[in-house]
Amino acid sequence: MENFIAYNPVTLHFGKDILATLGTTLKEYGNRVLLVYGKGSVKKSGLYDQLVQDLKKQGFDISEYGGIKSNPVIEDVDAAAAIGRENHVDVILAVGGGSVIDSSKIISVAIPVENKAWDFFTGKTKAKTAIPLVAVLTLAATGTEMNPFAVVSNHALEQKSAFGSPLTFPKHSFLDPQLTLTVPRDYTAYGIADLIAHCFEAWFGSGEATLTDRFVISIVKEAIEYGPKLLGDLQNYEYRAKIMFAATMALNGTTMYGRSSGDWGVHSAGHCLSLLYDVPHGASLTIVYPAWMRHFKEHVGSRIAQLGSGIFNEPLTADESIDRIEAFFKSLGCPTRLSDLNIPGDLRTPIFESMVHTRVSGANMKMTEEDYGKLIELYM
Ligand code: NZQ
Ligand code: ZN
């Protein structure tokens, strides 16, 4: 087992009607709130009206930035930070999925400085202070609600990159599974796939940690058992709650205890697909993961077999495990080949170039240009 430090300062509020205490929580930080949200799901569901009404009643002064897109972009982060700065906000309230919360993490460190937000991703600006962030999660997938990471795209530089610092943990995250009842079937499935992929990325990292391996297997088993049930009954609160909790646990540090790294090569390759073709994050992972396992089978075959046998509860070889995992992703309705997405044109060259440009690699399974070519062929 590797040495490790466990640190997670997020206060998680989980359950039905848990937003009742949101106002009291925000008050801890002040009166001026910057409300950040996405393209419109919060307005459609009525959550926006309800929140704004409640918070105004409680005397909050609200400025807002709406329109954060899925696979969020740095321009929105800069524009929202400018609004936060102008209004001298005391606290940021992010209401949405991973894209909104990730953007808000960067907004929180960008407001106190005048620099471009992208400078945090390049290391040109160091995060020294942050406006407190309170998150209301509306989609179970990324785990952003209980981790410090933020993933944002910069199309001018052709990069989709991650940033994280101890300052970018949300102070509080509110998770009411009822708020995920409106997530459509496809994004519900992508979320299930994403949480499974987070477990896999930890599994294929470095460092032997048997108890942590058992955590990983348990989280994936939960998703394999309840994911399909949820997809067959999208209005079921209990299934929504189980998947929401699993997604949080899949990337809040628990799966990393006793390891020196995860792998994250599949995420890194998947980001190129999102960057180039706006592929939803979870879908990019169900396309790349089976191909990645087939490609690196020679090196991590016994680990693949151990994973497959653990999550499906029967002895499986590496090949059988990969086939079962791929079939499971398909059964969720997720794409497992790039061709499933019907994107026209020559895709091999731009993807290869993007992988070279962004230096796609895993921390454990390093990738070269030869690997890129083979991986692309395997998932075409
Ligand atoms: O924009 P709106 O209108 O809100 O619609 C969103 C969006 O179209 C919709 N949605 C969200 N909640 C809803 C809802 N629709 C109906 N009812 C609701 N309750 O769902 C769509 C997808 O939302 P998005 O936030 O983009 O999805 P997700 O939560 O999967 O986040 C994806 C982003 O997170 C990054 C990904 O790369 C991607 O950019 N990730 C962040 C991580 C982290 N911070 O730790 C780790 C992940 O590996 C991932 O990289
Ligand atoms: Zn992910």
Side-chain angles (χ1 to χ4, degrees), residues 110-231:
I111 288 175
V113 297
E114 293 289 329
N115 314 24
K116 289 276 184 197
W118 191 253
D119 291 349
F120 292 104
F121 291 85
T122 60
K124 200 169 152 194
T125 304
K126 302 278 176 239
K128 295 205 177 100
T129 168
I131 303 293
L133 169 64
V134 174
V136 172
L137 184 69
T138 63
L139 193 165
T142 62
T144 187
E145 62 276 13
M146 205 175 176
N147 74 43
F149 310 120
V151 187
V152 177
S153 297
N154 183 327
H155 287 279
L157 298 179
E158 298 173 1
Q159 305 265 0
K160 182 174 188 188
S161 304
F163 173 79
S165 109
L167 290 168
T168 46
F169 281 102
K171 295 279 183 213
H172 293 262
S173 285
F174 286 77
L175 277 62
D176 182 342
Q178 294 175 115
L179 299 182
T180 66
L181 291 172
T182 50
V183 178
R185 193 183 191 286
D186 54 356
Y187 272 101
T188 302
Y190 301 150
I192 296 163
D194 191 22
L195 87 86
I196 292 174
H198 295 160
C199 290
F200 289 2
E201 297 284 18
W203 180 268
F204 292 113
S206 317
E208 197 190 317
T210 48
L211 176 58
T212 304
D213 279 357
R214 289 174 204 262
F215 293 156
V216 166
I217 299 275
S218 297
I219 298 167
V220 178
K221 280 173 106 163
E222 186 82 353
I224 288 179
E225 181 168 351
Y226 293 107
K229 289 184 175 156
L230 170 56
L231 291 172

